[in-house]
Amino acid sequence: MLGSRPFVARALQVRQLPWPGSRSHQFYSTTASRGLRSRRWQRTAFGAALTVGACGYTVYNYDTAYLVAASVYRSSVAANVTCQVAWDYYRNFPELPAEGSVSEDERRAIQDQRSKVHVRAAEKVKRALMKNGGVYIKLGQHISAMQYVLPMEWCQTMQMLQDRNTASSLDEIGQVIALDTGKTVDELFSVFDAEPIGVASLAQVHRAVLRETDEEVAVKVQHPMVRTYSDIDIATVSVMFEFIHSVFPDFKFMWLSAEMKGSLPRELDFCNDKINAEQVQWNFAQHADIPLTVPRMIQATERVLIMEYVNGRRCDDLAYLRQHNIDPSQVSREIGRVFAEMTYVQGFLHCDPHPGNLFVRPRAQGSASHGYNFDLVLLDHGLYRQLPSQFRYEYAEMWYALMRGDQAQIKHWSRKLSGTDLYQLFSVILTGHNWSTIETKSLGSTSAAEFNLDALTQQQPDLFQNITEVLASVPPVLLLVLKTNDLLRMVDQRLFADQPPAVQHHAQLRTWLRISHYCLIAIRDARAAEISHRPAAVPLARVYRLAINRLGFWFSDTALSVYKALLVVQDMFVRWQALFRRSTIS
C-alpha cells in the first residue's frame, strides 16, 4: 500500500506519522488538536498579559502616554493640512501671465482663480490652527499681522484668531494656580469670576479680588497644556515649513518658525511680563504728557500673573469712544507717540500692539497731567525686543530718507538694514505705499498713493519670491519691528474707519510727520554722541559742531510742526463741511 505512494510514505516515515484513517492517526489527531488548542491558549494568555501590562503601564504613566498620543495627533493635523494646501497650490494655482500677454478677461479669470486658492488654503489652515490651539493660534496671529507681505486673503482669514480663542475650564485654571502659587483659588481670592474677561492663544484673564487686601485684580493664567506641547509644536511647524520649502523653493518663511522658537519661551514665562511692564513704567515715568498707563504688577510665577485691574475697552471700539466723547484722532496720535518713543528713543519695543492689547480708559477732562480725557492702557508684556542703538540710528536714517524721497540714501540704508539690493521692495514693505509715491517724494504729501499688493503683483509676477528673499535676509529684530508697524497701521485704519477720506488721509500724513520727528531725534542724538567721542584739536570746534547739529534738528522739526498745524486746520474744515452736508440732507 505504501509502495504505491513512495513520496508520501517516505515523508511519513521521516516524520514518523501514522497514515490517515488508522487508529494511531485518530489518537495522534486528538493529541495534536489538544496541543494546538493549548498553544492557542498560551498565545491568547500571552497577548492578554501583554495588553493588560500595556494598559497598566499606560494608566501608571498616564501623562506620558497621553502626551505622546496628543503630540502625534497634533502633528498629524499639521502634516495633513500642509500636504492638502501644498497639493492644492501645486495643482490649482495658475501662474500670473506677463502684462499684455493675455486679454483682460482672461487675466481677471486667472486672478479670481488665484484668489480662490488663497482663500481655500487659508480656511483649511485656520481650521487646523484652531483645532490644535496654543502655539498654532500664535502662528495664525503672526500671519494676520503681515498685511503688506502676504496675500490679503490669508491675512483677512487669520484676523479672527486675534480674538477668538478657546477658554480653559475653571477646574483647569484652578489647578494651574494651585501648582504655581501653592495656594488654591479660594485661599488667594475672595472673589474669582468664573467667566474670563479675555482669552488669548497662550492664556486667559479673570477678574478677581485679593483675599488679603480686598484689591480688585486681573489674574492672567496660562492654558494648562500650552507649555507641555510648545516644544513639539514648534518642531512640527519647523518641519512643515521645511517641507513646503522643498516643494516650493520660493517659500522662504523659515524665519517665522525661528522667530517663534526664540520668542515663545519668553512669552510662556510670566515673570518676564512683570519685568517688562515695570521697565516700561520706568521708561515713561518722565513723560507726563503721554497718557500711558501700565497695570501695576503684584505677583508673578511662570504661569500665573496677578496685576492691577484696569477698566476700559479696546482702542478700536468706536462706539465706546463716542459714548465717552473720546476723539479717535487723539487716541491714534498718542498710540503713535508711545511706539515712536519706544522704537527711536528708548529702544525697548512692545512687539504685539494689536487692538486687544491696547485699551482706552475714560477719565474726567483735566484730571491728569497729560490733559486728555482718556488713558491708553498697554497690556500683555510678554513680547518685547531691545533695539540696539546702532540699529535705531540706521532705521531712523532709512525712514528719514524715505520721507525726503532721497533714492541714494534709501539705497544705502536699505542695504545696511536688509542686506539685499531690493531697496524698492524693502521701502514698500516699510511704508505700505507704492514705490512711485516714494520716488516722487510724495510720501508726506496729499498726493500719496495707497499701496496695492494685487496691482504690484500684476506688475511684478515674481513679487512673492522677492518679498520672501527680503524677509529671509533681514535681522530678526527688524522682522518684529515690521510686524509692529503692520499692527499699528491696522489700528490706525480702524480708528478712522468712519471718517471722511480726507480726514483718513490727513491721519496718515500726521503719522509720517510723527515718524519724521522721532527720526530726527534719533539722528540728532546719534550724531551728537559721535561728535562728543570724536577727538577735537580745538575744544570749541566740538561745541560748534554740537550746536550746528542741534540747530539743524530745530529747523527741520519746526517745519514739521508748522505742516502738522496746517493739517489740523484742514481737518477741522473737512469735518465742518461733513457736518454741514449731513444737516442739509436731514
Side-chain angles (χ1 to χ4, degrees):
M1 186 74 178
L2 290 176
S4 62
R5 289 182 287 268
F7 175 77
V8 176
R10 284 195 298 271
L12 292 177
Q13 287 171 358
V14 169
R15 297 179 62 188
Q16 298 181 347
L17 297 178
W19 183 250
S22 65
R23 291 182 179 179
S24 58
H25 175 266
Q26 292 173 1
F27 172 79
Y28 176 82
S29 298
T30 303
T31 306
S33 62
R34 287 175 182 170
L36 183 59
R37 285 197 297 269
S38 175
R39 286 194 295 275
R40 284 175 180 168
W41 275 109
Q42 288 173 0
R43 286 197 296 268
T44 303
F46 178 76
L50 188 62
T51 304
V52 169
C55 292
Y57 178 83
T58 301
V59 171
Y60 186 75
N61 299 277
Y62 173 77
D63 290 341
T64 303
Y66 177 79
L67 175 61
V68 170
S71 298
V72 169
Y73 171 75
R74 293 163 69 82
S75 301
S76 66
V77 169
N80 181 46
V81 75
T82 300
C83 292
Q84 286 184 31
V85 169
W87 181 250
D88 199 1
Y89 273 104
Y90 179 75
R91 288 291 302 272
N92 302 313
F93 194 69
E95 290 289 334
L96 194 63
E99 194 75 38
S101 61
V102 295
S103 68
E104 281 301 314
D105 289 342
E106 290 175 320
R107 190 176 188 83
R108 221 172 356 255
I110 291 172
Q111 289 171 343
D112 288 344
Q113 174 67 13
R114 289 164 64 95
S115 179
K116 287 176 183 176
V117 175
H118 282 321
V119 170
R120 193 162 59 237
E123 283 291 342
K124 287 178 182 176
V125 171
K126 183 190 72 176
R127 288 195 295 270
L129 297 181
M130 293 178 69
K131 186 179 291 185
N132 278 348
V135 174
Y136 290 93
I137 297 289
K138 202 73 179 172
L139 174 62
Q141 292 172 349
H142 273 285
I143 293 172
S144 73
M146 300 166 69
Q147 296 184 31
Y148 295 91
V149 175
L150 292 176
M152 191 54 63
E153 293 90 345
W154 277 86
C155 298
Q156 290 175 346
T157 302
M158 298 298 167
Q159 275 294 331
M160 65 165 290
L161 297 180
Q162 293 287 0
D163 305 306
R164 299 182 189 177
N165 296 285
T166 304
S168 298
S169 69
L170 193 59
D171 286 342
E172 291 173 325
I173 292 301
Q175 289 172 10
V176 173
I177 291 174
L179 286 171
D180 270 46
T181 65
K183 295 182 179 180
T184 65
V185 171
D186 290 337
E187 289 172 336
L188 279 171
F189 309 106
S190 57
V191 175
F192 190 89
D193 288 354
E195 192 69 25
I197 57 177
V199 182
S201 56
L202 304 182
Q204 62 193 59
V205 180
H206 292 257
R207 190 193 70 85
V209 176
L210 285 174
R211 187 171 291 281
E212 289 186 359
T213 63
D214 285 334
E215 181 180 1
E216 190 176 18
V217 294
V219 186
K220 181 179 177 181
V221 186
Q222 194 174 113
H223 296 305
M225 299 305 292
V226 167
R227 182 184 294 274
T228 305
Y229 293 138
S230 61
D231 290 340
I232 187 66
D233 285 348
I234 292 175
T236 302
V237 169
S238 300
V239 170
M240 294 304 103
F241 276 30
E242 290 288 350
F243 170 74
I244 296 173
H245 177 57
S246 67
V247 177
F248 302 103
D250 292 344
F251 183 93
K252 299 176 182 178
F253 280 87
M254 283 74 72
W255 55 266
L256 187 54
S257 61
E259 174 54 41
M260 289 181 64
K261 189 175 182 179
S263 300
L264 198 64
R266 303 180 203 178
E267 292 189 77
L268 289 175
D269 186 350
F270 291 170
C271 294
N272 289 323
D273 283 56
K274 185 173 185 294
I275 294 169
N276 293 337
E278 290 169 349
Q279 179 66 52
V280 173
Q281 284 179 317
W282 188 88
N283 288 349
F284 282 90
Q286 304 304 316
H287 292 274
D289 59 326
I290 298 179
L292 180 68
T293 293
V294 176
R296 179 173 54 88
M297 301 292 140
I298 298 170
Q299 180 183 344
T301 66
E302 284 192 351
R303 297 189 297 169
V304 178
L305 178 65
I306 303 173
M307 70 194 100
E308 169 193 9
Y309 179 81
V310 180
N311 274 309
R313 296 285 286 274
R314 289 168 52 115
C315 66
D316 61 345
D317 189 338
L318 296 179
Y320 181 78
L321 298 183
R322 280 193 294 269
Q323 179 187 343
H324 293 89
N325 298 315
I326 297 172
D327 186 354
S329 65
Q330 290 184 342
V331 174
S332 168
R333 180 173 68 241
E334 295 311 309
I335 290 174
R337 286 181 67 198
V338 167
F339 281 88
E341 188 76 30
M342 287 180 173
T343 303
Y344 298 101
V345 181
Q346 299 168 0
F348 190 62
L349 180 63
H350 185 298
C351 295
D352 199 17
H354 63 79
N357 288 338
L358 288 166
F359 272 37
V360 172
R361 175 178 65 179
R363 64 185 307 155
Q365 185 76 45
S367 62
S369 58
H370 52 66
Y372 295 101
N373 66 336
F374 66 89
D375 287 327
L376 285 176
V377 183
L378 187 60
L379 303 172
D380 194 356
H381 300 274
L383 185 58
Y384 276 77
R385 278 295 181 273
Q386 192 76 47
L387 309 181
S389 57
Q390 183 64 26
F391 170 83
R392 297 202 309 272
Y393 169 66
E394 292 175 358
Y395 189 64
E397 286 279 17
M398 177 68 188
W399 264 107
Y400 195 49
L402 288 167
M403 296 300 301
R404 302 193 315 272
D406 187 336
Q407 291 193 48
Q409 287 294 298
I410 291 172
K411 189 172 183 179
H412 171 75
W413 293 112
S414 175
R415 178 68 185 174
K416 281 263 189 181
L417 282 169
S418 70
T420 72
D421 293 322
L422 298 170
Y423 66 94
Q424 295 184 8
L425 183 58
F426 183 60
S427 303
V428 168
I429 293 172
L430 267 182
T431 63
H433 279 267
N434 291 326
W435 172 249
S436 60
T437 299
I438 302 166
E439 186 180 28
T440 55
K441 305 181 181 181
S442 302
L443 195 58
S445 75
T446 55
S447 60
E450 287 295 323
F451 171 74
N452 188 317
L453 185 62
D454 293 334
L456 201 58
T457 304
Q458 293 178 30
Q459 298 167 12
Q460 303 179 28
D462 58 349
L463 176 67
F464 184 74
Q465 178 182 351
N466 290 338
I467 287 176
T468 57
E469 183 179 336
V470 169
L471 295 180
S473 303
V474 301
V477 67
L478 182 54
L479 292 171
L480 278 179
V481 172
L482 292 174
K483 175 201 168 188
T484 304
N485 283 348
D486 283 348
L487 286 170
L488 291 173
R489 284 194 199 108
M490 179 184 69
V491 170
D492 246 11
Q493 289 169 3
R494 293 185 180 182
L495 281 169
F496 290 95
D498 62 349
Q499 295 296 315
V503 174
Q504 293 181 20
H505 189 62
H506 289 172
Q508 180 66 73
L509 294 183
R510 280 195 295 273
T511 298
W512 301 136
L513 295 175
R514 184 167 52 246
I515 289 173
S516 296
H517 167 72
Y518 279 96
C519 286
L520 287 171
I521 292 175
I523 294 168
R524 178 201 66 189
D525 293 347
R527 289 178 180 173
E530 182 188 359
I531 293 168
S532 299
H533 289 90
R534 188 190 305 161
V538 181
L540 284 177
R542 178 180 294 146
V543 176
Y544 171 76
R545 286 197 292 269
L546 287 171
I548 291 296
N549 178 51
R550 185 163 287 275
L551 193 61
F553 163 78
W554 183 82
F555 276 121
S556 300
D557 202 45
T558 301
L560 293 177
S561 299
V562 171
Y563 187 29
K564 196 185 302 180
L566 178 62
L567 289 176
V568 171
V569 174
Q570 289 178 338
D571 268 3
M572 291 172 59
F573 181 69
V574 169
R575 284 195 176 102
W576 286 340
Q577 276 187 321
L579 286 172
F580 178 74
R581 284 173 189 156
R582 285 196 201 109
S583 62
T584 304
I585 293 171
S586 59

